[in-house]
């Protein structure tokens, strides 16, 4: 069975922080840019609920690749369309590297989207603090 769209982008537009960080504008710009690039038949852009990564927004999740972007601005949309959607290459500077699986809230003083990447513990070794 095939899907009606090849790619699906979810833009967090709810939760505690994404709405205050410009998520609605990012969503609108991304939809418009996809339409203008002729990608609307293959790529679906949707608003989504909270990703539980508060403070790192606006956030975008791209599927089926499973890439997440953090601290996205309207100014970044053209690059996302060109690199990620047309070129199938991630926009490295916006990739989100969560501190751990699950919920990750940006604490005061941290730069959104720049938390240390999760490193799984070695078998039988201690876990990372």
């Amino acid at each position: 069975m095939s899907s009606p769209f090849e790619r699906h982008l979810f833009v967090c537009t709810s939760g505690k922080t994404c709405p205050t960080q410009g998520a609605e504008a990012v969503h609108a710009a991304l939809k418009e840019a996809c339409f203008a690039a002729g990608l609307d038949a293959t790529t679906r852009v949707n608003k989504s609920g909270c990703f539980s990564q508060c403070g790192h927004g606006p956030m975008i999740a791209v599927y089926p690749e499973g890439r997440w972007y953090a601290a996205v601005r309207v100014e970044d949309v053209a690059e996302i369309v060109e690199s990620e959607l047309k070129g199938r290459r991630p926009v490295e500077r916006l990739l989100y590297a969560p501190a751990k699986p699950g919920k990750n809230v940006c604490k005061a003083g941290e730069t959104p989207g720049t938390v240390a990447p999760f490193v799984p513990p070695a078998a039988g070794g201690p876990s990372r603090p």
Side-chain angles (χ1 to χ4, degrees):
M1 183 173 148
S2 64
S3 300
F5 296 98
E6 293 174 17
R7 320 271 301 284
H8 213 121
L9 284 75
F10 298 96
V11 181
C12 178
T13 56
S14 66
K16 293 178 183 174
T17 59
C18 283
T20 67
Q21 295 173 306
E24 288 285 347
V26 168
H27 173 264
L30 192 54
K31 278 189 79 103
E32 185 177 314
C34 284
F35 182 78
L39 298 172
D40 54 307
T42 59
T43 304
R44 180 74 179 171
V45 179
N46 280 96
K47 294 179 180 181
S48 81
C50 182
F51 291 172
S52 295
Q53 308 298 305
C54 297
H56 297 286
M59 297 195 75
I60 298 172
V62 180
Y63 287 95
E65 289 81 356
R67 286 195 271 263
W68 285 37
Y69 292 108
V72 178
R73 302 288 173 246
V74 170
E75 300 80 30
D76 301 319
V77 167
E79 185 177 1
I80 290 170
V81 169
E82 285 301 314
S83 183
E84 175 70 56
L85 301 180
K86 288 183 171 181
R88 308 255 176 186
R89 294 178 315 276
V91 179
E92 298 285 340
R93 66 183 180 81
L94 296 174
L95 283 175
Y96 180 56
K100 63 187 185 316
K103 295 180 181 181
N104 286 282
V105 176
C106 188
K107 295 174 180 63
E110 291 179 340
T111 303
T114 60
V115 294
F118 174 71
V119 178
S127 62
R128 197 174 119 195

